[in-house]
């Protein structure tokens, strides 16, 4: 059974940083792409970033490119999302997601498994 467990959310001020973690189990690093979605209050769930670890390929939402970095520890089967220069618009619940591919076109319906989510709040 594929399981994803996020951690690392919290409350920070604008301009500060946070790193989210997604610990995966039930599959090996090269079976799935791992990505992050976020959902702000009253808005649809939005794709943020993903990594296809077997190819070393990453992809980012335009509004986070240059501020967020996705990387993995394959031995630990854990994927991280390092978020810097955070903005109030980044406030959302962040969800880790496993899918068959990594692309900016990834939609929630394409996701095979979800984590439980972790809250990120950025104050101005």
């Amino acid at each position: 059974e594929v399981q994803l467990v996020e951690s690392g959310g919290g409350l920070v001020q604008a301009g500060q940083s946070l790193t989210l973690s997604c610990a995966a189990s039930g599959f090996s690093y090269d079976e799935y792409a791992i990505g992050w979605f976020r959902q702000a209050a009253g808005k649809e769930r939005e794709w943020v970033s993903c990594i296809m670890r077997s190819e070393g390929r990453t992809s980012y939402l335009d509004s986070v490119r240059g501020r967020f970095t996705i990387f993995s520890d394959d031995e630990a089967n854990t994927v991280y999302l390092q978020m810097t220069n955070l903005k109030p618009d980044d406030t959302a619940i962040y969800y880790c997601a496993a899918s068959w591919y990594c692309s900016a076109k990834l939609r929630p319906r394409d996701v095979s498994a979800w984590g439980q989510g972790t809250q990120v709040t950025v104050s101005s």
Side-chain angles (χ1 to χ4, degrees):
E1 180 185 3
V2 174
Q3 289 192 325
L4 304 170
V5 179
E6 303 104 329
S7 61
L11 170 62
V12 297
Q13 293 185 329
Q16 292 186 327
S17 302
L18 275 176
T19 299
L20 306 181
S21 301
C22 173
S25 61
F27 62 99
S28 64
Y29 81 97
D30 58 348
E31 290 186 75
Y32 286 93
I34 299 293
W36 293 91
F37 284 73
R38 65 186 181 186
Q39 189 164 18
K43 295 188 177 181
E44 293 186 352
R45 195 166 294 192
E46 172 185 54
W47 173 83
V48 175
S49 180
C50 58
I51 182 169
M52 191 73 205
R53 294 174 291 173
S54 60
E55 302 170 5
R57 184 165 52 83
T58 60
S59 188
Y60 297 95
L61 180 67
D62 284 347
S63 63
V64 308
R65 187 176 292 110
R67 299 189 298 121
F68 290 12
T69 302
I70 189 169
F71 61 98
S72 67
D73 178 345
D74 294 338
E75 283 194 14
N77 210 7
T78 299
V79 172
Y80 302 90
L81 185 68
Q82 183 181 52
M83 306 183 295
T84 64
N85 191 21
L86 282 161
K87 304 177 180 181
D89 283 349
D90 296 318
T91 295
I93 299 174
Y94 283 69
Y95 295 91
C96 181
S99 58
W100 291 110
Y101 66 98
C102 171
S103 166
K105 298 180 180 179
L106 196 66
R107 297 294 178 263
R109 62 175 181 267
D110 301 321
V111 172
S112 299
W114 294 97
Q116 82 284 1
T118 185
Q119 177 71 49
V120 172
T121 303
V122 184
S123 63
S124 57

